[in-house]
Amino acid sequence: MSAIYIAGIALCSVLAQWIAWAFRVPAILFLLLTGLLLGPATGMLDPDALLGDLLFPVVSLSVAVILFEGSLTLHFRELKGIGKVVRNLCSIGMIATCIIISLSAYWILELNWRVAAVLGAVLVVTGPTVIAPLLNSMRPTQDIDRILRWEGIVIDPIGALFAVLVFEAVMLVGQGEVFLHTIIALFKTLGVGLSIGVVAGWLTTLLIRREWLPFELHKFGILALVLISFTVSNHLSHESGLLAVTVFGIWLANQDDLEIDSVLEFKEDLSMILISTLFILLAARLELSDLMMLDADVFIFLAIVLFVARPLCIAISTYGTELPIKSRLVLAWIAPRGIVAAAVGSVFALSMMEAGVADAEKIVPLIFTVIIITVVLQSLTAIPVAKLLGVRQPSPNTILIIGANHVARAIACGLKEQNIPVHLSDPAWENCRMARMDGLACYYGNPQSEHAERYLPLTTIRSVMALSPNRHHNALGVQYFSHLLNEKNVFSLRSSTSHAKANKDSATFLSRQILFGDSGSYARLSSLIAKGGKVSATRISEEFSWEKYQEMNSDAIPLFILNGDKDSDDDSPVKLRPFTINMEKPPQQGERVVAMLPPKMSVLKDPNNGKSKEPKEIKE
């Protein structure tokens, strides 16, 4: 019978994620609703009866993996360059938020002081899993977008680590009659967690660099080390395991010559599975009586979280900066809580209930209430608030090119010369390095990954063009972005018919393989570039029509049509449409044609004087 329940949870997790994907909202919302529906509402799922004594270990180990995955994204070099505001948000702003929420919980909700302190520490965390989807639909100005994304990325592991330290401190108070005993116990916990984390990181680095661990075992091996580090640390010092795995992840993230991209990708997939399952299980554990015990004072508490704690945090963090007041107002409103708050808070609640701490059973209902209210309220109001304050970006106009190979780089450079914003993406580091040397923005990795959702400027992307020689990369990109941006804004180079048939390409991918017409294959573009071909723009005029252009450039491969002057004084963006198979509207007078022109290898005979001369290149 247990197998049916576990399979049902997996199915419900996928359905909740799919619904969130379809409606383009944070998945956490539907996962919570699914758990509440299966648990308190219908009584179909009882996690305590299903897992028994395994519930606490399963939740604890899952949180350890989630925190480890989050800490893998915390690079010290990026932390130094993220700006004063984000540094303040993740330090003094975080502490201010914790103090205000803790005092409110203690005075207004009349919670035990230990519970109030832990609740305040847990609720400082936002997290990229809820911030990224909200920002993608909101499209705020660059300063707001950058601050909120980086806050979510950085405060995820830092806030969790802060919550762990607060929890350990309050649980150690009162265990001895002497204050010194408490301090010693706290330093013991810190020492064990830090030591285990550093040793695990050093050992993993050694295993990978010396190639003592084969590549195919990197993912499973590091997962095993995460789990064993967590359990050993907890065994040596109670509740130090979360600190150990966070330090473990930070250590690996800051090893410059360590190749862990495949590990990070694996941990992202595993974290998605754990997050989905964990949210349903934790929400299902709530009892109707737990929700009913939250009286009217909860609304006052929520008002303080939304309208006092966050605005004061932003006021402190932005003091002395040149950030506009409108941007500060938006930052003061947007702070949805996510998976780390729920998962870490649930682990602390279980530990405190086992220790017999009064009011510990109220931690989970309060955290889930804050999550639901902040996610729903801020998701619904983010766009209207941004419009009202005039901080919403104009329609996206950046072209995302999948691939940073020499063909993609040549085309991207040609577009950049015409003032078209371009961003490339490639999982091969050498291609990314070459693109950056050409002055092109390039994301290193797969653009459809969760990591890309955090680091790619998705709010500015208008269309996607798959220019990779790898058919599989093109297909994945087209499939992913066709939903995200609308299918009509996604294009791909053609794959061969035999490849499409052998690999059973999706209907979406087949329908979008229309880029650059019948003649614009990757092989031909690559060949022209290798021979010295260049991307050039030519204006169509009354004297120089499209028909004349085709006649004089019969070997050229037309790529794009541009409408608008790149040197115009106004702020109107240049409009771009790619040449596609069966394109209905040819270039019109005043528009520019961007094409791949072959090298001028021959000379033409001038019938007027009999002298040979180089053909003139047509320019604007």
Side-chain angles (χ1 to χ4, degrees):
M1 195 67 179
S2 297
I4 295 178
Y5 279 106
I6 293 173
I9 292 172
L11 178 61
C12 290
S13 300
V14 173
L15 290 175
Q17 291 273 6
W18 180 81
I19 294 172
W21 172 78
F23 284 94
R24 302 180 186 181
V25 297
I28 186 176
L29 180 60
F30 289 101
L31 290 169
L32 284 175
L33 293 177
T34 301
L36 293 173
L37 182 64
L38 294 177
T42 63
M44 294 173 60
L45 177 62
D46 184 357
D48 293 273
L50 177 64
L51 297 176
D53 293 338
L54 289 176
L55 177 64
F56 182 73
V58 167
V59 173
S60 299
L61 291 172
S62 299
V63 173
V65 173
I66 292 168
L67 283 186
F68 176 74
E69 187 268 329
S71 62
L72 282 176
T73 65
L74 186 56
H75 301 274
F76 289 141
R77 63 179 182 275
E78 294 174 347
L79 186 60
K80 293 177 182 177
I82 58 176
K84 180 180 177 181
V85 174
V86 178
R87 285 198 300 271
N88 290 344
L89 283 171
C90 299
S91 53
I92 57 175
M94 179 181 69
I95 295 172
T97 302
C98 174
I99 292 173
I100 294 171
I101 294 178
S102 298
L103 292 176
S104 301
Y106 179 69
W107 284 330
I108 296 174
L109 301 180
E110 298 181 347
L111 297 180
N112 178 283
W113 73 270
R114 287 185 173 88
V115 172
V118 169
L119 184 66
V122 168
L123 288 178
V124 302
V125 179
T126 55
T129 55
V130 287
I131 285 290
L134 189 151
L135 292 177
N136 291 341
S137 59
M138 180 184 175
R139 293 206 322 269
T141 53
Q142 187 175 5
D143 55 353
I144 298 173
D145 185 90
R146 185 169 179 263
I147 289 171
L148 287 176
R149 285 185 190 274
W150 271 108
E151 181 195 13
I153 293 168
V154 177
I155 207 170
D156 200 345
I158 290 180
L161 178 58
F162 173 72
V164 170
L165 296 179
V166 171
F167 170 76
E168 291 169 354
V170 300
M171 292 301 289
L172 288 171
V173 172
Q175 289 189 6
E177 297 179 358
V178 184
F179 177 74
L180 182 60
H181 173 80
T182 301
I183 297 298
I184 293 174
L186 177 58
F187 273 94
K188 176 189 173 184
T189 303
L190 291 173
V192 170
L194 289 170
S195 300
I196 295 293
V198 169
V199 169
W202 173 82
L203 178 60
T204 303
T205 304
L206 186 67
L207 290 172
I208 295 177
R209 284 177 177 165
R210 299 281 181 91
E211 298 183 357
W212 291 344
L213 188 67
F215 181 79
E216 58 269 20
L217 288 180
H218 282 185
K219 301 172 185 177
F220 182 54
I222 292 180
L223 174 61
L225 285 171
V226 169
L227 299 180
I228 197 67
S229 300
F230 174 78
T231 53
V232 169
S233 185
N234 271 351
H235 177 73
L236 295 176
S237 182
H238 189 59
E239 297 301 339
S240 63
L242 294 179
L243 174 59
V245 296
T246 302
V247 173
F248 185 6
I250 293 173
W251 178 283
L252 293 183
N254 290 277
Q255 303 301 310
D256 293 333
D257 58 342
L258 199 65
E259 181 58 52
I260 58 170
D261 291 310
S262 61
V263 174
L264 180 58
E265 186 176 351
F266 169 67
K267 291 297 185 293
E268 286 179 354
D269 295 337
L270 183 59
S271 291
M272 176 179 288
I273 296 171
L274 293 176
I275 287 170
S276 303
T277 305
L278 203 60
F279 257 56
I280 291 177
L281 287 174
L282 295 176
R285 287 191 74 248
L286 292 173
E287 300 288 345
L288 289 176
S289 57
D290 294 337
L291 298 174
M292 295 301 293
M293 73 180 176
L294 303 179
D295 53 25
D297 290 338
V298 172
F299 294 104
I300 302 176
F301 174 73
L302 287 171
I304 292 176
V305 171
L306 290 169
F307 302 112
V308 178
R310 180 63 176 181
L312 184 60
C313 170
I314 295 300
I316 294 173
S317 301
T318 59
Y319 179 77
T321 67
E322 297 179 356
L323 197 67
I325 185 64
K326 291 182 178 180
S327 298
R328 300 186 193 198
L329 290 174
V330 174
L331 293 175
W333 177 238
I334 304 298
R337 272 56 175 190
I339 175 60
V340 173
V344 174
S346 298
V347 171
F348 292 164
L350 289 171
S351 295
M352 297 180 87
M353 283 189 286
E354 286 184 355
V357 178
D359 296 328
E361 70 279 359
K362 295 182 180 180
I363 292 179
V364 174
L366 284 170
I367 290 175
F368 277 35
T369 301
V370 172
I371 289 173
I372 293 173
I373 294 299
T374 54
V375 171
V376 173
L377 188 60
Q378 293 172 10
S379 295
L380 292 176
T381 59
I383 294 177
V385 167
K387 287 182 177 179
L388 178 65
L389 295 174
V391 295
R392 199 172 190 223
Q393 290 189 41
S395 299
N397 62 341
T398 299
I399 308 299
L400 174 63
I401 296 179
I402 297 176
N405 50 77
H406 66 295
V407 172
R409 294 196 302 270
I411 292 174
C413 287
L415 291 176
K416 186 179 178 182
E417 290 178 358
Q418 304 303 317
N419 283 357
I420 303 292
V422 183
H423 206 109
L424 285 75
S425 172
D426 202 295
W429 170 245
E430 183 61 23
N431 286 341
C432 288
R433 187 181 69 83
M434 296 294 291
R436 292 172 184 176
M437 288 178 64
D438 289 339
L440 300 169
C442 187
Y443 169 75
Y444 173 43
N446 293 316
Q448 62 272 10
S449 66
E450 182 182 339
H451 186 268
E453 191 174 68
R454 303 175 186 176
Y455 291 90
L456 267 178
L458 295 179
T459 57
T460 67
I461 292 173
R462 182 174 67 86
S463 62
V464 174
M465 298 178 190
L467 303 181
S468 172
N470 188 312
R471 182 200 60 82
H472 180 66
H473 289 167
N474 290 342
L476 288 177
V478 167
Q479 198 69 30
Y480 178 78
F481 286 103
S482 289
H483 167 77
L484 198 64
L485 301 178
N486 195 318
E487 187 175 307
K488 68 180 182 179
N489 295 320
V490 180
F491 308 88
S492 174
L493 289 172
R494 287 182 297 111
S495 299
S496 69
T497 306
S498 59
H499 281 172
K501 186 176 181 180
N503 292 284
K504 297 182 179 179
D505 287 336
S506 69
T508 300
F509 184 44
L510 289 172
S511 67
R512 303 316 297 165
Q513 294 183 64
I514 57 177
L515 203 54
F516 307 149
D518 294 318
S519 60
S521 66
Y522 181 88
R524 189 175 174 205
L525 289 167
S526 178
S527 176
L528 285 178
I529 293 173
K531 295 175 182 177
K534 301 291 183 182
V535 176
S536 180
T538 306
R539 188 177 298 279
I540 301 300
S541 62
E542 184 177 354
E543 296 78 16
F544 190 70
S545 64
W546 170 237
E547 290 74 16
K548 191 170 183 178
Y549 176 94
Q550 289 179 298
E551 180 183 342
M552 296 186 65
N553 297 276
S554 57
D555 294 331
I557 301 178
L559 305 175
F560 307 102
I561 301 172
L562 304 182
N563 189 336
D565 195 339
K566 68 174 184 177
D567 299 319
S568 175
D569 293 332
D570 60 29
D571 296 328
S572 57
V574 177
K575 296 180 180 179
L576 175 148
R577 8 182 216 125
F579 274 85
T580 57
I581 298 173
N582 301 324
M583 189 172 66
E584 297 179 357
K585 188 178 179 181
Q588 304 297 306
Q589 181 177 333
E591 294 181 328
R592 285 170 286 152
V593 174
V594 177
M596 178 71 74
L597 298 177
K600 306 297 183 180
M601 301 299 294
S602 60
V603 293
L604 298 179
K605 191 78 171 178
D606 188 342
N608 295 322
N609 54 25
K611 297 180 180 180
S612 63
K613 64 177 182 178
E614 293 289 338
K616 295 181 180 179
E617 184 177 349
I618 302 168
K619 297 182 179 179
E620 291 183 42

